């Protein structure tokens, strides 16, 4: 009997931190499913690049805000690679606005993407993990979920909710042998921060004890650690790769 590769499902996996996670897990021999909403070209390029290295990767277009799309995607992934062993809930959006300029629709979309999307993904993969008495869930928050950020009230609210979700779920599913942890990155060199100009980046580097912003690969390393056997006695925790900007 051929032993199957462990299977990781990554939401928001077509770019930035999600793509870096896909590359990290693929390099370690995992079968990788990436869910993406609108970055079809990037998802296909990522899949082609990783397949050239011998990796098993499946990109699926799904809006994580929609329960039926998430459940259908997980069913497809299970048929392709077997049950999901690890969920990395990474999908997210960002905006910088005064709270008085944020519309109700924008606020709702922020919560639905970060929190409702996480809820849908967890509900889709959790029954299988509980049945097998093992599994790992890693959520992605932000330092702003820990401290809050001016002009990012909606984003900070959503990311703080991710942390609360993580801690509560860890208590609930721990007896089933499932670990649930959170990675809360600092300022990372991704598309999400592409609007920052050179002066903003320099200022952030000055505020950071290590003197620079982080890379998506460094966040992926933190995610992989929490998904590995090396963290088997860690659950309900928040790991923040942020260069010391928040201590």
């Amino acid at each position: 009997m051929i032993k199957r590769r462990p299977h990781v499902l990554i939401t928001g996996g077509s770019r930035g931190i999600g793509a870096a996670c896909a590359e990290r897990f693929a390099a370690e021999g995992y079968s990788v499913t990436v869910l993406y909403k609108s970055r079809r070209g990037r998802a296909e390029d990522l899949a082609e690049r990783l397949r050239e290295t011998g990796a098993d990767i499946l990109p699926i277009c799904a809006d994580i805000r929609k329960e039926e799309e998430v459940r259908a995607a997980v069913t497809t992934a299970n048929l392709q690679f077997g049950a999901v062993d690890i969920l990395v809930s990474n999908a997210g959006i960002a905006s910088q606005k005064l709270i008085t300029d944020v519309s109700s629709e924008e606020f709702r979309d922020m919560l639905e993407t970060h929190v409702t999307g996480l809820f849908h993904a967890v509900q889709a993969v959790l029954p299988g993990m509980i049945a097998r008495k093992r599994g790992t869930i890693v959520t992605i928050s932000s330092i702003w979920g820990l401290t809050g950020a001016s002009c990012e009230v909606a984003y900070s609210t959503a990311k703080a909710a991710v942390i609360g979700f993580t801690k509560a779920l860890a208590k609930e599913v721990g007896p089933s042998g499932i670990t649930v942890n959170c990675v809360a990155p600092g300022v990372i060199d991704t598309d999400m921060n592409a609007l920052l100009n050179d002066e903003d980046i320099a200022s952030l580097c000055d505020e950071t004890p290590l003197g620079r912003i982080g890379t998506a690969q460094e966040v992926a390393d933190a995610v992989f650690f929490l998904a590995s056997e090396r963290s088997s006695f860690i659950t309900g925790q928040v790991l923040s790769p942020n260069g010391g900007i928040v201590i």
Side-chain angles (χ1 to χ4, degrees):
M1 181 178 179
I2 299 175
K3 184 179 180 180
R4 73 175 179 90
R5 296 181 177 185
H7 179 193
V8 59
L9 185 146
I10 303 166
T11 70
S14 64
R15 60 174 177 156
I17 291 171
C21 287
E23 292 170 349
R24 183 72 167 86
F25 280 94
E28 297 290 339
Y30 286 68
S31 295
V32 181
T33 297
V34 295
L35 303 192
Y36 67 95
K37 180 185 174 186
S38 60
R39 298 281 180 165
R40 183 176 183 85
R42 286 197 179 190
E44 292 174 344
D45 288 346
L46 173 68
E48 182 177 353
R49 186 170 71 252
L50 293 182
R51 288 189 186 115
E52 289 177 353
T53 69
D56 289 336
I57 181 165
L58 175 66
I60 302 176
C61 183
D63 186 342
I64 62 167
R65 299 171 301 176
K66 299 178 180 178
E67 180 182 5
E68 65 279 7
E69 291 192 21
V70 175
R71 290 192 178 277
V74 171
T75 297
T76 299
N78 288 345
L79 290 172
Q80 180 77 15
F81 295 138
V84 173
D85 300 294
I86 300 162
L87 169 66
V88 178
S89 182
N90 168 73
I93 56 176
S95 69
Q96 291 184 325
K97 286 186 177 182
L98 292 169
I99 186 62
T100 50
D101 294 332
V102 177
S103 69
S104 295
E105 182 180 357
E106 288 172 326
F107 191 80
R108 183 169 56 251
D109 191 34
M110 187 70 70
L111 293 178
E112 287 182 352
T113 301
H114 290 271
V115 186
T116 306
L118 168 60
F119 170 73
H120 289 157
V122 167
Q123 279 209 326
V125 304
L126 195 56
M129 292 182 177
I130 292 173
R132 299 190 307 278
K133 295 292 185 181
R134 68 179 186 275
T136 302
I137 296 170
V138 182
T139 65
I140 306 296
S141 179
S142 164
I143 53 171
W144 308 136
L146 293 167
T147 69
S150 176
C151 295
E152 294 192 59
V153 171
Y155 182 78
S156 299
T157 299
K159 287 305 194 181
V162 168
I163 292 173
F165 186 107
T166 300
K167 292 183 176 183
L169 184 63
K171 291 182 177 181
E172 183 171 325
V173 301
S176 294
I178 299 163
T179 62
V180 189
N181 290 290
C182 179
V183 174
V187 183
I188 305 299
D189 185 15
T190 66
D191 289 354
M192 195 171 282
N193 289 314
L195 294 178
L196 297 174
N197 59 38
D198 291 343
E199 184 178 344
D200 293 332
I201 295 295
S203 177
L204 287 165
C205 289
D206 287 342
E207 292 178 43
T208 304
L210 290 183
R212 63 178 178 85
I213 63 174
T215 68
Q217 290 72 28
E218 288 171 320
V219 180
D221 287 340
V223 171
F224 186 80
F225 167 71
L226 290 175
S228 72
E229 287 298 319
R230 296 178 66 186
S231 64
S232 58
F233 197 55
I234 299 174
T235 197
Q237 304 303 308
V238 180
L239 176 60
S240 184
N242 63 57
I245 196 170
V246 171
I247 295 177

